[in-house]
């Protein structure tokens, strides 16, 4: 079955950087659209970035210019490089896979499979 395992979260000060990874297994990785999402306490889960099999990307306005999504198809791994982190980036970050997505998107309902999440905490 599809498994997604996130890693790389942690605590950093404002302005710092982190790189999240998501190891995928149980399906043909390169055929799916992959995304990063986050959920802060008391808030709804929101899309952060997504990438499709052709390498096309989509970003939430709040992270454009600071976050970069990428993938290594040979390693079945998704990445999220996060720079210039702000306290408002504090959240649980999840990766997700969508096998039926035609156009790259960060719409949550388009994704079928989810990881357990990794916590990112940014202090001021």
């Amino acid at each position: 079955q599809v498994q997604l395992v996130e890693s790389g979260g942690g605590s950093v000060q404002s302005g710092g950087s982190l790189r999240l990874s998501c190891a995928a297994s149980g399906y043909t990785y390169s055929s799916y659209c992959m995304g990063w999402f986050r959920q802060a306490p008391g808030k709804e889960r929101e899309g952060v970035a997504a990438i499709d099999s052709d390498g096309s990307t989509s970003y939430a306005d709040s992270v454009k210019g600071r976050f970069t999504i990428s993938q290594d198809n040979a390693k079945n791994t998704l990445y999220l490089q996060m720079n210039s982190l702000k306290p408002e980036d504090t959240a649980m970050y999840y990766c997700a896979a969508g096998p039926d997505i035609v156009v790259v998107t960060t719409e949550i309902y388009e994704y079928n499979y989810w990881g357990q999440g990794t916590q990112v905490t940014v202090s001021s």
Side-chain angles (χ1 to χ4, degrees), residues 2 4 16 18 26 35 51 69 78 85 89 92 95 98 104 106-108 111-113 115 117-118:
V2 176
L4 302 171
L18 283 173
I51 187 167
I69 189 170
L78 177 72
L85 282 162
D89 295 317
M92 185 72 79
C95 73
V104 62
T106 55
E107 291 289 347
I108 292 172
Y111 290 81
N112 303 75
Y113 305 102
T118 185

Side-chain angles (χ1 to χ4, degrees), residues 14-84:
S14 182
S17 298
L18 283 173
R19 188 176 82 153
L20 306 183
S21 299
C22 172
S25 62
Y27 67 101
T28 303
Y29 175 85
S30 60
S31 66
Y32 282 28
C33 187
M34 302 294 296
W36 285 101
F37 300 81
R38 66 186 181 187
Q39 187 167 18
K43 294 188 177 181
E44 292 187 352
R45 192 170 297 189
E46 63 177 359
V48 175
I51 187 167
D52 69 10
S53 57
D54 294 328
S56 296
T57 58
S58 176
Y59 292 92
D61 288 342
S62 59
V63 306
K64 282 181 181 177
R66 299 188 299 123
F67 291 10
T68 302
I69 189 170
S70 63
Q71 59 191 353
D72 185 333
N73 290 340
K75 296 181 178 180
N76 289 0
T77 302
L78 177 72
Y79 302 100
L80 184 68
Q81 178 66 45
M82 305 186 295
N83 299 328
S84 303

Side-chain angles (χ1 to χ4, degrees), residues 89-104:
D89 295 317
T90 295
M92 185 72 79
Y93 282 71
Y94 301 89
C95 73
D100 302 317
I101 298 173
V102 176
V103 178
V104 62

